[in-house]
Amino acid sequence: MRWSRAALLMSSSLTVVLVGACGAGPSSRPGVAVERPHEAGSPTTTSAAPAPPPGPEVPKTDLAWRDCAAPTFGKLGLGAPPAGLVFECAEFSTPIDTSGSVLGTFRTAAVRAKLANTPADAAPVVLTSGGDRSSTETLAGLATGPNSALLAAHPVVAVDRRGVGNSQAIDCMATDTRRGLADSAQFAGGDQVDAMVKLSQDATVACQDFLQPYQRTFDAPHAADDIEQLRKAWQVDRIALVGTGSGGRVAMSYAAKYGDHLARLVLDAPQAVDADAVTRTEQRVKGEEAALTAFAQRCAGLNCSLGADPRAAVLDLVNRARAGGLGDLSAGALLTGIAGFLGDPRADQSNRVGELADALSAAGRGDRGPINALLQRQSGSVGSDGQFVSRCSDNQQPATPERARELENTWGGTYPVFGKDAAVRMMACAAWPVPNPTQLPEKLTLPVLLLGATADPVTGSDALPTVTGALGRAGAGTATIRWQGYGHPVLNHSGCGQQALVAYLKDAKLPADGTACPA
């Protein structure tokens, strides 16, 4: 069921229904600092280590959970839920705008995953993956793999952003506009950047008109408000929060607005802060190219169907699509599918190299059935109207068309597979009203754990210093763990990363900064 214009105009209160072993161990620094004065005979003094911050709490009043494992996993194409997994859905009410400028409520939903042996008295961990993918899909992906340390220790509760994932879908664009954006305006004729700007105008007018007067309530700070409402519904004082990808922006907004209610904060491959759209896009493109290289190396090692040089085979296919050699399959749609596959949160994604290789090989031979199925699945995960709204609502410091045209040539040479399309695609939000500046915490004394990947196709590997810098200015201590693999997020793919997270959740002690987790 999708939002209808009539429903939006007839109701003064909008209800949205959602269904829905580390390379280096923990720090060996002593728990007690010992001071040894230089004066001979001076007594040795000791000072106790500071007490850990209060931990997350078990809900005093919980949501009305119901089993939804089979339909959710079926919808996401994940097959049968793993044995022993408990996967449940529930709803709770959230104000459309906590300031009261827009009256009414949304019905927001959460999904909860745990194992049959997860301790009943373990506090939940809240997960948001922002607008990259639905939080529901990220959590379901986590549950598919063998790395179950987190779920064995804590229930994980995922909250989708408004209009994304299992939330009631936003359907605001004309079909031709949506398809044009997905194709990066390849078939529009004329200058591709100008064509994308025109598509952005059409999409923006349609979606702003459709959502009025709620159109400014789909940004990261409002997503943080929804998480705060969940805390209130639980009647607890403090929660543990994990933000992955652009969900890191939601988590940082929560820390800025409700930092006193954070017991633990984990940022997994977060999007850069205090960075313009060009910087954020280039970081992602570098991550996409690195992930493709890692995929190609694994593919070649398995003697996959792309031949001895899989990366060259992919580039050849993308260039054929750019030249119109794959019919109505555009380079933009093809690249979205490839990047989406490389960044899929399925925990077993690294074992599915042959699936992508075979689909691309078949497309090269003229059989587009497998690649179309893959593209349809990835488009459904990363290309909804709701994601357009949420991404544009967070698009700080957008690029100009002139800059995009310049980078179309520059990045086309520097990043031969993904660069040209990424420069053009920056114009998707060109017409959207520029959002308010990013909310960052001004004071946060909580130790914060950060995870990053060597080759992350969603946010890249260069964004972490901007996040640690912002946290440091707020007074937070940080430690970063680097996973030496490709994919997104780290939590779903690295058992080492999960073990570090579980240890941090226990007492808020950070591992040694720069700890490496093997691929």
Side-chain angles (χ1 to χ4, degrees), residues 247-272:
R249 185 185 294 267
V250 177
M252 290 286 276
S253 292
Y254 189 91
K257 302 179 76 172
Y258 310 109
D260 290 343
H261 293 298
L262 276 174
R264 305 287 187 267
L265 178 60
V266 179
L267 302 174
D268 186 341
Q271 192 178 62

Side-chain angles (χ1 to χ4, degrees), residues 10 37 53 94 121 137 142 192 333 372 394 420 447 456 458 470 477 507 512:
M10 289 172 62
T94 60
D121 60 350
E137 185 172 0
L142 171 67
Q192 208 168 334
N372 285 342
D394 290 337
K420 177 181 170 65
D456 188 307
V458 177
D507 54 16

Side-chain angles (χ1 to χ4, degrees), residues 447-461:
V448 180
L449 177 65
L450 294 100
L451 308 175
T454 300
D456 188 307
V458 177
T459 57
S461 61

Side-chain angles (χ1 to χ4, degrees), residues 383-480:
S384 70
D385 290 6
Q387 284 163 310
F388 168 80
V389 171
S390 65
R391 289 167 183 163
C392 293
S393 294
D394 290 337
N395 187 38
Q396 305 290 331
Q397 305 176 58
T400 64
E402 293 75 20
R403 183 66 170 144
R405 270 189 289 270
E406 175 187 337
L407 292 173
E408 186 181 6
N409 295 320
T410 302
W411 287 354
T414 307
Y415 312 111
V417 179
F418 295 96
K420 177 181 170 65
D421 181 75
V424 173
R425 201 175 288 268
M426 278 195 300
M427 294 296 97
C429 294
W432 196 268
V434 177
N436 294 326
T438 304
Q439 286 185 292
L440 298 174
E442 296 181 358
K443 182 179 180 181
L444 186 69
T445 58
L446 182 72
V448 180
L449 177 65
L450 294 100
L451 308 175
T454 300
D456 188 307
V458 177
T459 57
S461 61
D462 296 336
L464 286 173
T466 69
V467 181
T468 56
L471 291 169
R473 291 192 296 271
T478 63
T480 298

Side-chain angles (χ1 to χ4, degrees), residues 2-3 5 169-182 198-211 382-392 428-429 432:
R2 294 177 177 267
W3 291 349
R5 189 182 306 275
I170 297 173
D171 188 358
C172 57
M173 292 186 209
T175 301
D176 289 347
T177 302
R178 188 181 301 112
R179 178 61 188 268
L181 290 172
K198 177 60 169 61
L199 287 166
S200 176
Q201 292 169 347
D202 293 342
T204 297
V205 169
C207 292
Q208 291 267 320
D209 177 62
F210 180 84
L211 295 171
V382 303
S384 70
D385 290 6
Q387 284 163 310
F388 168 80
V389 171
S390 65
R391 289 167 183 163
C392 293
C429 294
W432 196 268

